[in-house]
Amino acid sequence: MSVVKSPLSEADLKTVGNALQGALVDLVDLALVAKQVHWNVVGPRFRSVHLQLDEVVDTARLHSDTVAERASALGVNPDGRAATVAAGSAIGTVPEGWVKDADAVRILVTSLGAVITRMRERVDVTGEPDPVSQDILIGLTADLEKHSWMFQAESA
């Protein structure tokens, strides 16, 4: 049952809905991973990495809300439940316990890379059926790529 009538055809809605749902899952997990590492990071670069992680969390949370609301506006139920996120995320697991600052940077470079790869695929598939959703995905991918650049520069 959908209470919202989509302006998209059924086939286009399926494509765009899958892209938005996948983006939501990856963004929710990215926020969780970055926060987990944020709480446990240690080392000489603690403060700068700690603060940088919170910037990633803020970006992921902001964009996850935008993505979920876009899905709702199209009549697609966004699903950010823990089980859904765990089953569908592109991000690997985070080690338990304290995380050395260099390892924290590596984890974020890897996590952001995985999410960005999938976001770029979503940008490609949404262009024709829904340029509005594509625009949202382009903007969030640009923000994630900026974070990725900054974390990569940390490890240079």
Side-chain angles (χ1 to χ4, degrees), residues 53-99:
L53 287 161
D54 260 347
E55 292 173 6
V56 173
V57 172
D58 291 345
T59 296
R61 287 179 178 168
L62 173 71
H63 286 299
S64 65
D65 194 51
T66 301
V67 166
E69 289 178 356
R70 178 63 186 162
S72 292
L74 293 174
V76 175
N77 297 103
D79 187 352
R81 295 174 299 160
T84 303
V85 172
S89 176
I91 302 172
T93 59
V94 176
E96 190 176 322
W98 302 116
V99 179

Side-chain angles (χ1 to χ4, degrees), residues 1 11 13-14 19 28 50 54 57 64 74 80 82 84 90-92 109 120 125 127-128 143-144 156:
M1 173 187 94
L13 184 60
K14 181 174 174 47
V28 169
H50 182 79
D54 260 347
V57 172
S64 65
L74 293 174
T84 303
I91 302 172
V109 167
R120 285 187 158 271
V125 301
E128 181 66 31
D143 287 348
L144 295 176

Side-chain angles (χ1 to χ4, degrees), residues 15 63 74-75 95 97 103 108 113 115 122 130-131 153:
T15 298
H63 286 299
L74 293 174
D103 293 333
L108 263 291
V115 172
R122 294 173 184 124
D130 186 22

Side-chain angles (χ1 to χ4, degrees), residues 3-46:
V3 296
V4 178
K5 173 88 172 103
S6 176
L8 304 179
S9 71
E10 197 168 314
D12 288 348
L13 184 60
K14 181 174 174 47
T15 298
V16 174
N18 287 340
L20 292 171
Q21 178 59 37
L24 177 62
V25 163
D26 284 345
L27 290 166
V28 169
D29 200 26
L30 181 62
L32 292 170
V33 164
K35 196 49 117 167
Q36 180 66 26
V37 175
H38 165 90
W39 292 324
N40 290 286
V41 66
V42 295
R45 296 182 301 166
F46 163 79

